[in-house]
Amino acid sequence: MDGDPVNFTIAGPLRHLGGILADNSLKIKKSGVYEINFLADVMENPVIANFAFFRNNTMIDLSRFSLMATDTIQTTIGKTVHLELESDDEITVRTLDLTSPNVEYVTPAVQILNAALTVKLLDQR
């Protein structure tokens, strides 16, 4: 499995959601079409950092996003996707291992200063 889930320390409103679980995932209560939005203020040393949304420990297609820096920077990164989710699906944002299988995975040198994960029900089934 890829890197650690992004840590969310403060819970926001949880309408249609089962709450933030111990592994920093959000659990969906109602099946339907959702908008998933992630924003984070990050500080990064020279490195490439890759992230993606995961549903039930499987990366969601077209959800990957990256940040590349040649110097230490502080910036905001994010991604939004729309997709159908089922009741009891668990959503996480994780770092990605894009190295070859012969290279040990190392978590990117990114310090997440503030992070927000918003999962909004657009159309209920």
Side-chain angles (χ1 to χ4, degrees):
M1 189 181 309
D2 284 297
D4 294 329
V6 172
N7 185 14
F8 298 97
T9 57
I10 300 172
L14 297 172
R15 188 171 180 210
H16 303 303
L17 300 172
I20 298 174
L21 305 176
D23 63 355
N24 287 299
S25 64
L26 285 175
K27 190 166 192 169
I28 301 301
K29 281 186 178 178
K30 296 183 178 185
S31 297
V33 176
Y34 284 81
E35 176 180 89
I36 303 171
N37 184 46
F38 172 76
L39 286 173
D41 294 324
V42 298
M43 183 163 303
E44 178 180 58
N45 294 318
V47 73
I48 297 174
N50 298 286
F51 300 86
F53 295 119
F54 282 70
R55 174 179 44 207
N56 304 325
N57 294 321
T58 301
M59 189 172 82
I60 297 170
D61 289 338
L62 303 176
S63 72
R64 193 175 109 198
F65 57 103
S66 302
L67 174 65
M68 182 175 134
T70 57
D71 201 356
T72 300
I73 63 166
Q74 182 174 344
T75 191
T76 301
I77 61 170
K79 178 81 173 187
T80 300
V81 297
H82 295 97
L83 72 150
E84 284 192 35
L85 296 174
E86 300 294 327
S87 178
D88 294 325
D89 278 350
E90 292 183 18
I91 304 298
T92 55
V93 180
R94 296 184 185 186
T95 57
L96 287 178
D97 177 6
L98 298 178
T99 60
S100 72
N102 300 330
V103 178
E104 182 179 334
Y105 178 70
V106 177
T107 302
V110 174
Q111 179 183 2
I112 298 176
L113 306 173
N114 297 297
L117 177 63
T118 306
V119 181
K120 180 179 177 182
L121 179 62
L122 300 176
D123 185 28
Q124 185 176 334
R125 286 189 285 157

